[in-house]
């Protein structure tokens, strides 16, 4: 399951996409002209999807771990998907090195050291994605700055703690409580 602020997964030639685009580009005569000249069947609607954090990244047998988007795909609003993948790749390498030949222990160490931070970034991406699609940014500029600064610190800062107020807010945020968000099957 995933969360989405749109009516589905997106796709090519969805009925009504031209009308939706017209409303978005009213100030631009050039874009309106391009929309009018393009058959609706040739317009692709992109659906932006977020995911809630997975309960675990480790397989039942402990021999496989998810990394990157497979583990923590997130709404693109905050632009951290690629950074998170690099952080996770680095963390899994470090954990496997620390555990030498015990790969199961290495994967457990990877999840133990990386998942909390990745979950919080993923939750923040969902929160900001919901704010973007609703137009309601209920987070103070100071809190956003604090969270952005925390996100920018990665391995060099040894995953410093997020201030408790911001962490609590991100842990409690439920994107499905937003009226324009729904669960969709993938």
């Amino acid at each position: 399951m995933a969360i989405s602020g749109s009516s589905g997964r997106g796709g090519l030639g969805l009925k009504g996409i031209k009308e939706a685009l017209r409303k978005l580009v009213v100030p631009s005569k050039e874009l309106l002209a391009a929309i009018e000249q393009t058959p609706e069947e040739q317009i692709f609607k992109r659906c932006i999807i977020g995911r809630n954090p997975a309960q675990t990244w480790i397989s039942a047998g402990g021999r496989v771990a998810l990394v990157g988007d497979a583990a923590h795909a997130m709404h693109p609003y905050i632009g951290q998907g690629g950074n998170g993948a690099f952080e996770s790749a680095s963390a899994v390498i470090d954990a496997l090195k620390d555990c030498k030949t015990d790969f199961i222990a290495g994967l457990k160490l990877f999840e133990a050291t990386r998942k909390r931070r990745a979950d919080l970034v993923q939750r923040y991406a969902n929160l900001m994605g919901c704010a973007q699609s609703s137009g309601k940014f209920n987070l103070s500029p100071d809190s956003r700055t604090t969270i952005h600064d925390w996100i920018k610190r990665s391995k060099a800062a040894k995953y410093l703690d997020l201030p408790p107020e911001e962490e609590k807010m991100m842990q409690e945020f439920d994107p499905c409580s937003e009226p324009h968000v729904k669960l969709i099957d993938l």
Side-chain angles (χ1 to χ4, degrees), residues 18 41 85 159 164:
K18 268 182 125 166
E41 310 73 63
Y159 305 118

Side-chain angles (χ1 to χ4, degrees), residues 83-137:
N83 291 343
F86 283 118
E87 270 188 53
S88 288
S90 176
V92 78
I93 290 167
D94 289 347
L96 290 171
K97 282 194 312 191
D98 287 350
C99 291
K100 310 229 183 301
T101 58
D102 188 349
F103 297 116
I104 292 175
L107 294 180
K108 287 180 183 175
L109 178 61
F110 157 63
E111 184 175 63
T113 57
R114 174 77 179 110
K115 190 168 186 314
R116 180 178 157 270
R117 175 179 165 78
D119 285 358
L120 288 171
V121 173
Q122 189 178 25
R123 288 178 184 283
Y124 182 64
N126 285 340
L127 185 146
M128 294 307 291
C130 287
Q132 177 192 33
S133 63
S134 71
K136 296 176 185 165
F137 288 83

Side-chain angles (χ1 to χ4, degrees), residues 43-61:
I43 298 174
F44 188 89
K45 178 185 178 190
R46 184 181 74 167
C47 179
I48 296 179
I49 296 173
R51 290 182 185 262
N52 284 322
Q55 289 197 352
T56 183
W57 297 343
I58 309 296
S59 67

Side-chain angles (χ1 to χ4, degrees), residues 24-183:
L24 292 174
V25 299
V26 170
S28 172
K29 291 178 185 176
E30 295 83 7
L31 283 175
L32 273 173
I35 291 168
E36 295 307 324
Q37 293 171 11
T38 306
E40 193 163 57
E41 310 73 63
Q42 294 179 2
I43 298 174
F44 188 89
K45 178 185 178 190
R46 184 181 74 167
C47 179
I48 296 179
I49 296 173
R51 290 182 185 262
N52 284 322
Q55 289 197 352
T56 183
W57 297 343
I58 309 296
S59 67
R63 298 172 52 100
V64 177
L66 301 175
V67 179
D69 276 357
H72 45 73
M74 61 187 77
H75 190 286
Y77 181 83
I78 64 170
Q80 290 299 309
N83 291 343
F86 283 118
E87 270 188 53
S88 288
S90 176
V92 78
I93 290 167
D94 289 347
L96 290 171
K97 282 194 312 191
D98 287 350
C99 291
K100 310 229 183 301
T101 58
D102 188 349
F103 297 116
I104 292 175
L107 294 180
K108 287 180 183 175
L109 178 61
F110 157 63
E111 184 175 63
T113 57
R114 174 77 179 110
K115 190 168 186 314
R116 180 178 157 270
R117 175 179 165 78
D119 285 358
L120 288 171
V121 173
Q122 189 178 25
R123 288 178 184 283
Y124 182 64
N126 285 340
L127 185 146
M128 294 307 291
C130 287
Q132 177 192 33
S133 63
S134 71
K136 296 176 185 165
F137 288 83
N138 296 327
L139 195 58
S140 76
D142 286 345
S143 285
R144 287 198 306 260
T145 298
T146 298
I147 295 167
H148 281 268
D149 288 347
W150 174 80
I151 288 171
K152 290 176 194 173
R153 297 185 220 128
S154 64
K155 200 171 167 177
K158 289 293 179 193
Y159 305 118
L160 295 174
D161 285 336
L162 185 62
E165 183 179 314
E166 279 79 10
E167 181 168 348
K168 183 176 188 272
M169 178 269 312
M170 287 175 11
Q171 289 287 6
E172 292 176 351
F173 176 70
D174 176 13
C176 293
S177 69
E178 299 292 312
H180 62 284
V181 173
K182 63 183 175 184
L183 287 174

